[in-house]
Amino acid sequence: MHGGLKVYRGSPAAARSYVEADRGRADDYYLAEGTGVAQRYVASPEAGVRDGGTLNGDGYEAWVAGYDLETGAPKGRVRTDAAAVRFVEVVVNGPKSWSLAAALGPEIAAAYDRAQDRAAEQVIGWLAQHASTRVGPRGQQVQVPVQEIEAAVVRHYTSRAGDPHRHLHLQINARVFAEDTWRGLHTVGVRDSLGAINGIGHAAVMCDPDFRAALAGRGFTLEAASGEIVELAGFVGPFSARAAQIARNVDRFEATWRLAHPGAEPGPRLRRSWDARAWAQDRPDKVVPKDGAELARAWVQELAGLGYHDPDRARIPAAAGQPVRVGTLDRDGAARDVLTRLGARRSGWNAADVRGQVEQLIAASGISCGAPARLELAEDLTARALALCVPLLGHAGLPEHIRALTSQQVLDVEADLSARFIARAADSSRTQPARGHPSAHPRAHAGEGLAGAGLGWEALDGLDAGQRQVVAAMTGGHRLLVIEGAAGAGKTTTLAATRTALDSQGRRLVVVTPTLKAATIAAQQVGAPAFSAAWRGH
């Protein structure tokens, strides 16, 4: 399972129209063929996940709008404006080869669907235990855990291009029950929990014994690291290329139609005709699908045209193999491995990141077991890994989603780097003193007075004493300056103030980040030019 989190803001009626579309060519949000109904779940930390029944169109629209389905009353103060958050969504999916296998065998499709359902329930159950909301007056809000959340699950079978892509849209309603009343979900906390959400979703299917048995029954084997089906992995690229060709055909038909009909919107029947033409074009000898059954047959035909053959039946016993048992895993070693993996990617993390890495490790271990055994293992490994973590911020009441954990190994590496930077700056200062300063040692002026730095108070408004000292140091004349700040310490706010102060001095701040995504966010929040390290290195 991979992908990000989508925050849906907009009309409940629009969300309903996407779900009910015969073939979701409506827009980029629900571009798939689906069942047209949603399954509702209610979850709490104590009671777990409960089936809330099937939602029809009216029920789903009311659910999105934030109304109680039993009483029809609004869940607290429900916003009706266009910017109102209705739900947050993640997609429960898997490698493309899993969907190809489902198209080849109805027994695999059924087992895959059941495994995805179980995965969705496990994700919902985890969110019920870790989601939060905020209470208190503006500027003094604190985060509190939820007492109850509601979720809707919508099943889809195809991608935008019309190729097999079995997946679930898992939506968490923005109205949550906490502190004995209805409140708004803290969406940032959910976004920062994506590591756990994606990890649980992937491992729940990867380790599902029913799904693995169905695959083995057809002679399919799973590659441990990626989860791809070995016998189908080679067809994913060519099959996706054919699907992309179909999508380009449809896009071309739509563009031509819109030029001839400015301001109009195509209807479902017209879109279906474009799909049929797109399938037929360049492959007139192939079946043009008119419904789901014909679509599945067309997928199988496409695979055969690419040279696919069913595995030799003699291979089936070998494909089944001997699953790895839960009890054989070195739990302490696995916990240390989790921290090594986290430290290789970042210097700080949260408990959800730990859980996500734990689930990825379990999924790649070859373990096949039911949900209770896997969940016990995941929770135990997470607890062991968290016990090895070092907190970066010590104050009580820190929100769980803040990335304020690290490891001793990371701290040792950072200390070594800082010492090297300091030594290099000291060496530079002896040969080329920083302009206007007798020394370029980064620690020499960390507490430099604000008046000496020549900063206007407007640049420092709202900063605490430590942040003001950082701004003073960063607007000085150091050739090299090392400043460390844990998650939640206000680094972005301090950088924005530094940019304002440098502007008043006729100087410019440029931000360089590890990734392009981080650079984009920094540019928006700091108001300064930002680039990725890779881009600057070219």
Side-chain angles (χ1 to χ4, degrees):
M1 177 172 166
H2 62 276
L5 176 139
K6 297 178 181 177
V7 179
Y8 179 77
R9 294 178 173 87
S11 163
R16 173 184 178 177
S17 71
Y18 302 152
V19 172
E20 291 185 327
D22 284 340
R23 192 153 158 95
R25 301 257 337 148
D27 66 8
D28 287 335
Y29 198 67
Y30 286 116
L31 293 168
E33 182 182 25
T35 60
V37 294
Q39 185 68 33
R40 173 175 168 252
Y41 294 92
V42 180
S44 64
E46 296 80 17
V49 183
R50 309 185 300 279
D51 188 344
T54 300
L55 296 175
N56 59 20
D58 290 339
Y60 176 76
E61 185 174 345
W63 180 86
V64 172
Y67 287 86
D68 187 296
L69 298 183
E70 281 73 35
T71 66
K75 295 177 181 177
R77 187 173 59 187
V78 176
R79 290 174 55 180
T80 58
D81 57 282
V85 175
R86 303 299 183 181
F87 56 78
V88 297
E89 178 188 272
V90 294
V91 178
V92 179
N93 56 18
K96 182 65 167 288
S97 58
W98 295 3
S99 292
L100 291 178
L104 290 165
E107 73 286 356
I108 296 177
Y112 189 18
D113 288 348
R114 291 192 296 269
Q116 283 192 332
D117 288 339
R118 289 189 282 268
E121 290 189 34
Q122 291 172 38
V123 171
I124 295 168
W126 188 89
L127 283 170
Q129 295 176 336
H130 297 274
S132 64
T133 184
R134 291 169 292 182
V135 300
R138 186 180 297 275
Q140 303 177 36
Q141 291 182 324
V142 295
Q143 291 190 36
V144 298
V146 301
Q147 293 172 261
E148 184 176 278
I149 64 172
E150 290 194 13
V153 174
V154 182
R155 184 184 302 280
H156 287 129
Y157 300 98
T158 72
S159 71
R160 180 177 186 267
D163 55 331
H165 178 45
R166 302 180 91 89
H167 60 283
L168 304 178
H169 292 273
L170 195 166
Q171 303 165 349
I172 305 298
N173 199 284
R175 306 304 297 167
V176 297
F177 198 72
E179 298 281 306
D180 299 320
T181 189
W182 290 103
R183 303 178 186 274
L185 175 69
H186 183 48
T187 58
V188 173
V190 180
R191 187 184 300 278
D192 288 345
S193 300
L194 267 177
I197 293 169
N198 286 338
I200 292 169
H202 177 67
V205 180
M206 186 76 173
C207 300
D208 188 273
D210 183 25
F211 177 55
R212 293 183 75 107
L215 292 175
R218 290 289 295 259
F220 292 137
T221 52
L222 288 174
E223 201 279 319
S226 66
E228 290 281 7
I229 297 173
V230 174
E231 294 76 14
L232 288 168
F235 297 95
V236 170
F239 197 96
S240 298
R242 168 60 180 153
Q245 178 190 54
I246 295 169
R248 288 193 298 270
N249 290 343
V250 173
D251 290 343
R252 188 172 65 256
F253 300 152
E254 181 173 349
T256 302
W257 184 88
R258 288 189 180 278
L259 284 175
H261 303 82
E265 285 297 319
R269 181 176 299 179
L270 181 58
R271 290 190 179 277
R272 284 193 291 270
S273 72
W274 292 340
D275 289 326
R277 288 173 56 199
W279 272 86
Q281 190 163 326
D282 302 322
R283 298 294 295 274
D285 56 322
K286 300 299 181 183
V287 175
V288 177
K290 297 184 177 66
D291 56 33
E294 289 194 5
L295 185 61
R297 286 193 291 271
W299 293 333
V300 174
Q301 189 180 52
E302 292 290 338
L303 279 171
L306 292 169
Y308 169 78
H309 298 284
D310 286 332
D312 188 344
R313 303 296 293 180
R315 290 191 64 262
I316 292 179
Q322 184 65 33
V324 177
R325 297 183 180 277
V326 172
T328 63
L329 188 67
D330 176 5
R331 299 195 176 197
D332 287 334
R336 291 192 295 270
D337 190 19
V338 164
L339 292 193
T340 300
R341 294 185 184 192
L342 287 167
R345 299 182 59 187
R346 50 167 43 116
S347 60
W349 49 80
N350 58 27
D353 296 325
V354 174
R355 178 61 179 268
Q357 281 298 321
V358 164
E359 295 284 4
Q360 294 290 345
L361 184 147
I362 293 173
S365 69
I367 287 175
S368 176
C369 62
R374 201 203 88 258
L375 290 173
E376 184 280 328
L377 175 62
E379 290 167 1
D380 182 50
L381 292 182
T382 301
R384 291 172 189 246
L386 289 173
L388 297 174
C389 289
V390 178
L392 293 170
L393 298 175
H395 58 81
L398 191 70
E400 184 180 353
H401 72 93
I402 298 295
R403 291 188 167 92
L405 300 174
T406 190
S407 66
Q408 189 58 50
Q409 183 181 12
V410 170
L411 292 178
D412 291 343
V413 171
E414 290 191 350
D416 180 62
L417 287 173
S418 295
R420 291 172 183 266
F421 285 143
I422 292 171
R424 182 172 180 177
D427 290 341
S428 299
S429 69
R430 284 192 289 268
T431 57
Q432 293 181 332
R435 183 179 57 190
H437 293 271
S439 170
H441 193 292
R443 301 291 173 87
H445 302 284
E448 183 178 15
L450 299 179
L455 303 181
W457 286 106
E458 64 278 1
L460 305 171
D461 187 36
L463 302 185
D464 61 29
Q467 291 169 330
R468 292 184 178 208
Q469 288 181 344
V470 169
V471 174
M474 292 185 69
T475 53
H478 307 296
R479 296 182 63 82
L480 179 63
L481 178 68
V482 179
I483 296 174
E484 299 176 61
K491 296 187 295 295
T492 301
T493 301
T494 305
L495 276 178
T498 300
R499 192 264 308 162
T500 300
L502 288 172
D503 286 348
S504 68
Q505 297 175 359
R507 301 162 68 191
R508 189 165 67 113
L509 174 69
V510 176
V511 178
V512 179
T513 66
T515 65
L516 179 60
K517 180 179 180 180
T520 302
I521 295 174
Q524 295 171 346
Q525 296 181 345
V526 177
F531 309 92
S532 69
W535 186 90
R536 294 291 295 178
H538 283 353

